[in-house]
């Protein structure tokens, strides 16, 4: 079930919110949790019911193993490694079998059945490994029940694209619904509405530009190549930040609090700063479960640099099975290692630091998005042509959604020649508007001290209504693929 669908927004979400409150107030926290698990199972198994067998089996195994580790942490290290290895094996089977076979003469021989792969497998795998780690470190809490654990694994707000939550942080909040509050409900709804609009009304525009550019790599002018790269940079930003806002808003409407997963990363002044703001829960996972166990920065510069490269290569591999993802992770790893080596030796003015960081992130995204290395290098090579000029009319025409494009076409036919040209180039205004929005506070930050107003209510309604109207042309979230 997609969270950007009529079914979810108009039926599933309102029903779950009402069920959560009614069961909690009339029958108690355990009944509310039971209803939440049922809702989560429905959500996770909507498109692939048999995948619940895999999710249930590995969830039961990881819960029991975690409790076993917690009872005797002194003997838990082998169990921790075995559990993490088993979970990663399931992930590798579904996600990397095709890539690994492509490196052998057996390419195309076997493809894991998609209808058995649990929803958000990459996220739920890391969530379970983090649970095992918490049990080993004595931080999971002895009071976590099977029902608590099931609630966390199937929670609809985080199942698709995270954040990667710790059971010990989320489970206590789910045991007893917080008292109903209009302020919390309105703040959550506002955050959800703005996040939904980011995805449906903003990210989709830049997705059109990116899709056009990547589909016509060999025919792009240098300016079109540059704008294609920028469009994907903006698309993935509004796509992922939109989902993070939606997840936080849905949880808040229920009286729950999720860890911050997105904090204006394009305002970063370094690659380290970028990863402290982008997908924060993933960075937290790698730091806790990989970087620190490898020695972190305690064993000298060479080991520190090696550890940095390892976690970024793993991050690239986690995002997808392909050379482009590995190169993307490797580029960030090299940049972060370079910053580590230059730490305390080089200080850049903030404007220059921002420009260099933003430019690097833009160029690295090319390998993340491209369908092949040839396509990535062809797009980057287009930047070095000598025929720089204005964007082409074909690129401008590709930006607006179909209904907006038709409206602009109608205006073109109704206006004189000068007006036609102005309307034709109007879609390009989306790019400076998108860049300007990067400086705006995140909706989550806006709701920290939320005060409902008529203006905010009108904005939330407009965002939801506008998004619902445009649902039919929206793809799934980028991070839902991971």
């Amino acid at each position: 079930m997609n969270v950007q669908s009529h079914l979810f927004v108009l039926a599933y979400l309102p029903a779950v919110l009402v069920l959560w409150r009614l069961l909690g107030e009339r029958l108690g926290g355990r009944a509310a949790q039971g209803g939440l698990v049922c809702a989560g199972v429905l959500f996770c198994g909507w498109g692939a019911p048999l995948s619940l067998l895999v999710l249930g089996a590995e969830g039961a195994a990881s819960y029991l193993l975690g409790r076993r580790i917690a009872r005797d942490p002194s003997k838990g290290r082998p169990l921790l490694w075995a559990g993490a290895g088993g979970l990663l094996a399931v992930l590798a089977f579904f996600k990397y079998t095709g890539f690994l076979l492509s490196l052998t003469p057996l390419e195309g021989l076997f493809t894991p059945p998609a209808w058995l792969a649990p929803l958000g497998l990459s996220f739920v795998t890391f969530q379970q490994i983090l649970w095992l780690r918490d049990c080993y470190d004595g931080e999971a809490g002895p009071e976590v029940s099977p029902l608590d654990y099931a609630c966390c694994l199937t929670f609809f707000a985080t199942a698709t694209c995270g954040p990667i939550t710790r059971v010990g942080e989320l489970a206590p909040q789910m045991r007893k619904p917080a008292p109903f509050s209009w302020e919390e409900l309105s703040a959550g709804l506002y955050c959800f509405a703005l996040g939904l609009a980011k995805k449906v009304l903003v990210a989709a525009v830049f997705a059109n530009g990116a899709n056009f550019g990547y589909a016509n790599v060999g025919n792009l002018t240098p300016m079109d190549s540059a704008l294609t790269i920028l469009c994907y940079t903006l698309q993935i930003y509004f796509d992922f930040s939109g989902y993070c806002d939606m997840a936080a808003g849905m949880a808040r409407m229920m009286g729950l609090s999720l860890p911050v997963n997105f904090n204006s990363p394009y305002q970063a002044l370094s690659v380290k700063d970028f990863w402290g703001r982008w997908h924060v829960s993933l960075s937290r996972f790698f730091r806790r479960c990989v970087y620190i166990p490898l020695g972190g920065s305690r064993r000298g510069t060479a080991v520190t640099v090696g550890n940095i490269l390892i976690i970024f290569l793993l991050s690239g591999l986690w995002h997808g099975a392909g050379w482009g993802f590995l190169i993307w992770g490797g580029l960030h790893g090299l940049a972060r290692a370079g910053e580590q080596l230059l730490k305390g030796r080089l200080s850049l003015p903030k404007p220059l630091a921002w420009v260099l960081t933003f430019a690097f992130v833009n160029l690295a995204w090319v390998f993340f998005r491209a369908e092949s290395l040839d396509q990535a290098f062809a797009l980057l090579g287009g930047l070095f042509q000598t025929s720089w000029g204005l964007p082409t009319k074909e690129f401008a025409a590709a930006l607006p959604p179909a209904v907006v494009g038709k409206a602009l076409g109608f205006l073109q036919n109704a206006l004189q020649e000068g007006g036609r040209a102005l309307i034709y180039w109007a879609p390009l205004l989306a790019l400076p508007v998108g860049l300007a929005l990067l400086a705006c506070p995140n909706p989550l930050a806006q709701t920290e001290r939320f005060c409902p107003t008529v203006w905010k209510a009108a904005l939330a309604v407009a965002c939801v209504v506008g998004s619902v109207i445009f649902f039919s042309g929206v793809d799934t979230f980028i991070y839902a693929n991971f």
Side-chain angles (χ1 to χ4, degrees):
M1 186 186 300
N2 292 330
V3 295
Q4 71 279 13
S5 66
H6 297 96
L7 175 64
F8 182 88
V9 173
L10 301 180
Y12 179 90
L13 180 59
V16 172
L17 293 176
V18 171
L19 183 69
W20 170 254
R21 289 299 178 185
L22 286 179
L23 291 177
E25 292 177 2
R26 298 187 179 185
L27 300 178
R30 288 300 179 185
Q33 280 186 293
L36 191 58
V37 169
C38 293
V41 167
L42 177 64
F43 181 84
C44 294
W46 183 263
L50 292 180
S51 67
L52 295 172
L53 298 176
V54 178
L55 179 61
E58 70 171 12
S62 62
Y63 174 78
L64 294 173
L65 189 60
R67 294 266 56 96
R68 173 88 177 270
I69 293 172
R71 285 196 298 269
D72 190 1
S74 63
K75 300 179 181 179
R77 182 175 289 271
L79 296 177
L80 172 62
W81 280 100
L87 291 167
L88 291 174
V90 175
L91 176 64
F93 172 74
F94 285 107
K95 193 167 182 179
Y96 305 108
T97 298
F99 175 67
L100 294 175
L101 289 179
S102 70
L103 305 178
T104 73
L106 302 177
E107 181 177 5
L109 180 64
F110 174 74
T111 301
W115 43 269
L116 269 181
L119 179 69
L121 179 59
S122 296
F123 291 91
V124 76
T125 297
F126 277 15
Q127 185 180 25
Q128 291 175 90
I129 293 175
L130 201 54
W131 155 257
L132 296 178
R133 178 73 194 193
D134 282 344
C135 289
Y136 179 75
D137 292 338
E139 298 180 11
E143 68 281 358
V144 175
S145 67
L147 184 59
D148 293 331
Y149 195 67
C151 274
C152 295
L153 289 190
T154 61
F155 186 37
F156 66 92
T158 61
T160 305
C161 306
I164 302 168
T165 56
R166 297 174 67 180
V167 174
E169 292 176 344
L170 189 57
Q173 301 180 60
M174 292 178 162
R175 290 195 191 106
K176 184 179 180 181
F180 176 77
S181 166
W182 283 109
E183 288 75 13
E184 288 293 292
L185 178 64
S186 58
L189 180 58
Y190 180 79
C191 191
F192 172 83
L194 266 62
L196 183 64
K198 275 187 183 182
K199 162 60 186 174
V200 178
L201 303 179
V202 182
V205 172
F206 300 116
N208 291 337
N211 292 339
F212 173 84
Y214 276 93
N216 297 277
V217 165
N219 303 314
L220 298 178
T221 66
M223 179 59 76
D224 285 355
S225 296
L227 293 184
T228 295
I229 295 172
L230 178 60
C231 275
Y232 186 72
T233 297
L234 294 174
Q235 177 198 354
I236 196 169
Y237 176 90
F238 289 108
D239 181 284
F240 189 42
S241 68
Y243 176 80
C244 291
D245 294 335
M246 290 173 66
M250 288 185 285
R252 188 160 180 179
M253 283 189 277
M254 298 175 65
L256 307 175
S257 176
L258 297 179
V260 175
N261 202 33
F262 201 91
N263 184 23
S264 302
Y266 288 169
Q267 297 180 23
L269 303 180
S270 66
V271 175
K272 178 182 179 180
D273 188 19
F274 173 80
W275 281 101
R277 296 165 173 262
W278 178 281
H279 211 327
V280 179
S281 64
L282 180 64
S283 298
R284 179 178 69 168
F285 173 87
F286 277 118
R287 179 175 179 80
R288 179 118 186 273
C289 298
V290 181
Y291 184 71
I292 292 177
L294 287 175
S297 58
R298 303 187 304 272
R299 298 181 180 176
T301 302
V303 174
T304 300
V305 169
N307 292 341
I308 289 173
L309 291 175
I310 288 172
I311 63 171
F312 277 102
L313 287 173
L314 290 176
S315 176
L317 188 62
W318 178 83
H319 280 89
W323 295 113
F325 292 106
L326 282 172
I327 292 175
W328 171 78
L331 289 173
H332 276 271
L334 290 172
R336 178 67 189 90
E339 290 177 353
Q340 183 70 23
L341 293 174
L342 293 173
K343 186 178 180 180
R345 301 178 185 178
L346 180 65
S347 179
L348 298 175
K350 288 185 178 181
L352 179 59
W354 178 82
V355 169
L356 291 176
T357 302
F358 187 66
F360 168 78
V361 170
N362 270 261
L363 295 177
W365 281 134
V366 173
F367 294 97
F368 191 93
R369 167 62 173 81
E371 297 175 2
S372 67
L373 295 184
D374 289 341
Q375 188 184 53
F377 288 121
L379 182 59
L380 291 173
L383 299 175
F384 297 96
Q385 300 178 43
T386 57
S387 55
W388 280 84
L390 293 174
T392 63
K393 292 183 178 180
E394 290 76 16
F395 184 87
L399 281 170
V403 63
V404 176
K406 291 180 180 179
L408 291 176
F410 175 79
L411 289 175
Q412 289 174 24
N413 295 328
L415 295 174
Q416 298 298 322
E417 188 63 30
R420 291 183 184 180
L422 181 64
I423 295 297
Y424 199 90
W425 292 102
L428 291 172
L429 294 175
L431 292 164
V433 171
L435 290 171
L437 289 176
L438 300 181
C440 297
N442 290 328
L444 185 60
Q446 296 180 42
T447 59
E448 288 181 356
R449 296 181 179 178
F450 189 75
C451 180
T453 63
V454 174
W455 183 87
K456 290 177 181 177
L459 178 60
V461 170
C463 287
V464 172
V465 172
S467 299
V468 169
I469 292 174
F470 279 89
F471 271 161
S472 58
V474 177
D475 297 326
T476 58
F477 286 97
I478 292 175
Y479 264 77
N481 298 322
F482 308 139

